[in-house]
Amino acid sequence: MNSLSFLLLPLVFLLLSCNVNTVGVDTIDVSPDWNLVWNDEFDQDGLPDSTKWSYNVGDGCDWPQGCGWGNHELQFYTNKIEKNARVENGKLIIELHKEKINNSDYSSARLVTKGKGDWKYGRVEVKAIIPDGLGVWSAIWMLSSEDKYNGWPNSGEIDIMENVGYDPDTIVGTAHTKAYHHLIGTHKNGKIYHPSAQDSMTVYALEWEVDEYRLYVNDQKYFTYKNENTDFKAWPFDQNFYLILNLAFGGDWGGSKGIDSNILPVQMVIDYVRVYQKNNG
């Protein structure tokens, strides 16, 4: 072996030992089969980027499922109020407050990408810390953009992550369709024990393809929903969907063990949102 080989060996070992896929706040590490097509890294303080996010506003009384956003929730969702939704130090903060606003005693925010981020199939990632506390209800989910099959639940709902504050260690993901939804007791879901959801950033992900979709917590799969190849009643997931981030209070599930308004304000903190699609389309 010549002297040049001896000089090169340390460099070779160094390169082999490096982990080139290390994930940091600003790095992206997914399969090369996926292309990043939409993202928000929340790198500018102030209101959320209006080219990417809009708001559902009010107490839900104009929502098809009725007041309280269909679930008898107690909050009023505000529009462009930094107290409830703001970007700060590289994070999106959705904050729930106790305050009198219109006919509600609580304020929060519900951010949506409808018309600004709508996708059919792909991988959706949201990295977040969620709050606990009696009455709190955190959600990362998707609804139909075009309402192809006429209303909920016909056009489908994908719950990527839901958590209620009285059960902080349990992450739930659910499929809602005409054939399978909670109002008739046929909904299909998965659960995973995740005791650090309130303490450390967690990646909640959906991988959605023609034949099935899968849900993950930190790349650990916890639910798969299969396409039965029947009709839209079981698989309405052949159309564009948009993303929703919200923090609710009370309601049929979130408030089923009672509420404690003394815990407020609480925050959902989101590090990033990223959407990928396959190279082959």
Side-chain angles (χ1 to χ4, degrees):
M1 185 179 290
N2 58 39
S3 59
L4 179 59
S5 299
F6 280 110
L7 291 171
L8 289 174
L9 273 175
L11 177 60
V12 171
F13 285 124
L14 176 62
L15 290 173
L16 288 174
S17 66
C18 288
N19 180 3
V20 297
N21 290 320
T22 299
V23 177
V25 170
D26 297 316
T27 64
I28 298 172
D29 178 28
V30 296
S31 163
D33 292 336
W34 299 102
N35 281 328
L36 185 68
V37 297
W38 191 98
N39 68 306
D40 197 338
E41 307 296 318
F42 305 113
D43 52 10
Q44 184 165 339
D45 287 358
L47 289 171
D49 186 343
S50 62
T51 68
K52 297 179 178 180
W53 301 98
S54 299
Y55 303 79
N56 287 150
V57 179
D59 55 11
C61 287
D62 57 349
W63 201 246
Q65 288 78 46
C67 291
W69 301 96
N71 303 296
H72 303 104
E73 298 160 22
L74 302 177
Q75 77 287 337
F76 185 97
Y77 286 131
T78 61
N79 182 35
K80 298 181 180 178
I81 302 296
E82 288 192 21
K83 178 170 63 174
N84 297 121
R86 64 187 179 275
V87 176
E88 186 175 284
N89 299 322
K91 306 289 190 294
L92 170 64
I93 297 172
I94 299 176
E95 192 163 287
L96 173 64
H97 286 264
K98 181 181 180 182
E99 63 172 334
K100 189 69 177 178
I101 177 168
N102 289 13
N103 294 319
S104 301
D105 292 321
Y106 307 94
S107 69
S108 188
R110 175 156 145 168
L111 273 62
V112 302
T113 65
K114 187 175 183 180
K116 302 173 180 181
D118 307 83
W119 311 277
K120 181 170 74 172
Y121 313 130
R123 176 180 169 92
V124 178
E125 286 185 4
V126 180
K127 187 175 184 181
I129 293 177
I130 57 176
D132 59 3
L134 201 60
V136 175
W137 186 350
S138 307
I140 300 168
W141 53 303
M142 303 183 79
L143 284 175
S144 164
S145 299
E146 295 138 17
D147 202 16
K148 180 178 179 181
Y149 301 115
N150 300 318
W152 187 96
N154 298 20
S155 291
E157 174 181 326
I158 300 173
D159 296 332
I160 299 172
M161 182 284 294
E162 287 188 282
N163 175 264
V164 289
Y166 68 79
D167 191 13
D169 297 340
T170 302
I171 302 301
V172 182
T174 308
H176 294 283
T177 72
K178 183 175 177 61
Y180 305 114
H181 64 91
H182 69 285
L183 294 181
I184 58 174
T186 58
H187 60 290
K188 296 187 175 185
N189 64 19
K191 299 179 181 181
I192 186 170
Y193 178 70
H194 184 56
S196 58
Q198 291 78 28
D199 303 319
S200 61
M201 283 288 176
T202 298
V203 177
Y204 301 100
L206 159 73
E207 288 188 356
W208 171 23
E209 299 178 285
V210 174
D211 296 324
E212 66 179 31
Y213 76 68
R214 303 171 296 277
L215 300 180
Y216 301 84
V217 170
N218 287 338
D219 287 329
Q220 183 176 353
K221 184 171 66 176
Y222 78 98
F223 178 57
T224 301
Y225 182 79
K226 296 281 189 180
N227 183 352
E228 299 175 358
N229 295 306
T230 52
D231 58 17
F232 80 91
K233 295 176 185 178
W235 184 264
F237 307 117
D238 59 352
Q239 56 181 314
N240 284 345
F241 275 61
Y242 63 93
L243 183 66
I244 306 168
L245 307 174
N246 71 274
L247 183 57
F249 196 58
D252 297 335
W253 185 21
S256 62
K257 304 290 186 181
I259 62 172
D260 180 6
S261 61
N262 293 319
I263 64 172
L264 304 181
V266 295
Q267 299 177 342
M268 176 192 287
V269 181
I270 298 99
D271 188 15
Y272 64 72
V273 177
R274 296 171 183 166
V275 181
Y276 306 82
Q277 291 186 317
K278 286 288 185 73
N279 292 330
N280 61 11

